[in-house]
Amino acid sequence: MARQTEEGMTISACVIAGASSGAGKTTVSVGLMAALKRRGLTVQPFKAGPDYIDPSHHAAVCARPSYNLDTWMMGNKGVKRVFQRAISGADAAVVEGVMGLFDGKDGRAGEGSTAHLAKVLNLGVILVVDARSMAGSAAALVYGFERFDREVNLIGVIFNRVGSERHFRMLKEAVEGRCGAKVLGYLPKDEDVTMPERHLGLMMPSQSSGEAPGVERLADLAEKYLDIKGILEMSRVKATGILSRRDSVSFAAVIGKPHMVRIAVALDDAFCFYYRENLDILEELGAEIAFFSPLSDRGLPADTDGVYLGGGYPELHAPVLEANKSLRRELRDFARSGRPVYAECGGLMYLGRGIVDAGGRRFRMAGLFPWTSRMLSRRRSLGYREVTAGEGCPFLEAGQRIRGHEFHYSEMTPSPGTARAYMIKGGDGSKEPEGYVYRNTLASYVHLHFASNPEFAGGFVRMCGMTAAGGRGRINDKEAFCEEH
């Protein structure tokens, strides 16, 4: 396979889309990635949409970071920039879609949809269809997908959960007799390769078998039942020229001189939800990333200038987080000193007084903010968010905007009374204040994508440099709710 290191070289790159959620996109994508890697190819994985868990399975299989691509959060230039850079040195790229092919931010199959992403990147789409209780009707389904948006290049179809060879022959005969897309194989019903799930989606690899569940079995099935050669040949694209030189300028060049700072990033089973591009942008702006574990490390990394607490599953590890008193105390003192801390969702929960888990048990957390996070039996919030910074935002100038996504099963009690940094606009057009501030600590339920406005990352890095040099930054002491534990 040719690599894309020289002008004019090609790479095999395709989008694995679903006819609907649950059709088997992840199963097919992981199986295809594993089969390609088994053949000695360097595979670059991607995930459409605001998902953290599928990319972790991709990375476990491909031994390369999986990047999120979302045209609503990142914009067309943003997804092109990430895609172009990430495929460097790869032989093949597999983009796992989100939900159904035409499901996006709204009902118009526009921004945020797998179809829009495929058009922006000019990649062929392979549609995964759940074939249970279906034969000739599969042709009608694929026929409709082909004609719904003719700008989408639907190059092939893979059937999932096929009952037998005879069943597959019927499906293949029906589709290829009425549709333009080529049938590229199938995966049979196999309960051994079912991906385990929990309330926020699939389990992380470290929470199941250490890597994507049943990956070897999936690779075997993909090799046996998928037309791997056909997929590689039909998805070959020119690897260069996706992004124009005008659009490929670095974030550092846009924001200004990099600041050499050290940012501690929480990474373990409790805090594991990060857009890989967010970390790359911080590094591009001069930050050294130092990973640490609130579960096992007794203190922050040496010479820490700022802290980034991502989302994850703190509620599942609350007893261990509570027991690590020295780390909770050091983090609280770090934030009280005015040094920058940025926390999203699970990080927000960790910075509060405590967490009440699904069984009603209460565990103490860092105690920087006044709330207790209580787990609910039903989802509390889901959807894209556009954030407008207010005067109290420590990392972004008032009036500037950045985009992200919110998805959680917890709520804060009592209602927070701290200063607010954001005004958030949801998918229904409603607006509400959010983004809770104490000194130079910012906590929010919204997972921001820094590519939508790298000035946020630039502000975070600059604040780390400013406070490390003895400055006070934008310290907000209006309401000091710190509590000693």
Side-chain angles (χ1 to χ4, degrees), residues 235-469:
S235 62
R236 291 176 72 87
V237 296
K238 188 176 180 181
T240 54
I242 292 173
L243 188 66
S244 69
R245 290 185 178 181
R246 181 184 63 183
D247 296 333
S248 62
V249 62
S250 71
F251 288 135
V254 173
I255 293 174
K257 182 180 178 181
H259 293 253
M260 305 308 294
V261 299
R262 196 164 201 238
I263 296 178
V265 177
L267 187 65
D268 55 23
D269 285 349
F271 302 95
C272 45
F273 291 176
Y274 297 94
Y275 296 123
R276 176 61 190 228
E277 180 68 2
N278 281 7
L279 303 182
D280 287 357
I281 291 173
L282 290 173
E283 290 182 322
E284 191 172 333
L285 296 175
E288 175 193 354
I289 301 298
F291 293 111
F292 74 103
S293 170
L295 291 174
S296 60
D297 292 333
R298 297 307 167 191
L300 294 170
D303 303 319
T304 292
D305 300 312
V307 176
Y308 184 2
L309 298 166
Y313 298 104
E315 70 278 8
L316 299 181
H317 304 275
V320 180
L321 291 173
E322 180 185 59
N324 193 351
K325 295 181 180 180
S326 62
L327 191 281
R328 289 193 288 121
R329 184 182 306 112
E330 183 174 345
L331 178 61
R332 186 173 64 247
D333 291 344
F334 184 94
R336 292 178 73 176
S337 74
R339 286 172 287 180
V341 178
Y342 174 55
E344 294 179 331
C345 202
L348 171 149
M349 297 167 67
Y350 183 57
L351 291 182
R353 283 195 176 112
I355 291 176
V356 177
D357 69 11
R361 297 173 299 173
R362 187 184 186 280
F363 301 92
R364 288 187 172 187
M365 294 294 117
L368 183 70
F369 286 104
W371 57 70
T372 294
S373 299
R374 184 180 303 274
M375 297 306 299
L376 307 174
S377 60
R378 300 177 64 182
R379 186 177 63 225
R380 178 69 173 79
S381 187
L382 169 67
Y384 285 119
R385 302 289 183 260
E386 184 170 74
V387 170
T388 301
E391 293 292 340
C393 184
F395 311 135
L396 202 60
E397 295 295 331
Q400 288 199 336
R401 296 179 180 179
I402 185 169
R403 289 179 168 184
H405 190 266
E406 186 175 354
F407 183 23
H408 55 92
Y409 277 70
S410 68
E411 65 178 8
M412 295 179 289
T413 58
S415 179
T418 65
R420 308 295 175 91
Y422 299 159
M423 183 61 71
I424 294 181
K425 181 179 180 181
D428 60 358
S430 62
K431 296 182 179 180
E432 61 179 322
E434 215 254 22
Y436 310 101
V437 182
Y438 172 70
R439 297 202 168 189
N440 288 314
T441 293
L442 171 61
S444 172
Y445 264 125
V446 180
H447 297 269
L448 297 178
H449 202 300
F450 297 167
S452 65
N453 186 350
E455 286 287 352
F456 184 94
F460 183 37
V461 171
R462 282 194 294 268
M463 186 66 73
C464 291
M466 184 182 304
T467 56

Side-chain angles (χ1 to χ4, degrees), residues 95 113 271 290 416:
V95 182
S113 71
F271 302 95

Side-chain angles (χ1 to χ4, degrees), residues 14-30 32-33 45-55 58 66-70 93-104 112-118 121 123-128 202 384:
C14 64
V15 175
I16 305 297
S20 65
S21 291
K25 295 185 303 293
T26 302
T27 302
V28 171
S29 296
V30 170
L32 178 59
M33 293 172 190
F46 298 94
K47 172 62 182 180
D51 183 279
Y52 297 101
I53 301 175
D54 289 340
H58 300 170
S66 181
Y67 286 86
N68 293 81
L69 301 172
D70 188 298
V94 178
V95 182
E96 181 185 344
V98 59
M99 299 176 69
L101 176 57
F102 297 107
D103 299 320
S113 71
T114 305
H116 189 237
L117 176 64
L121 295 177
L123 297 181
V125 173
I126 297 174
L127 185 69
V128 179
L202 299 173
Y384 285 119

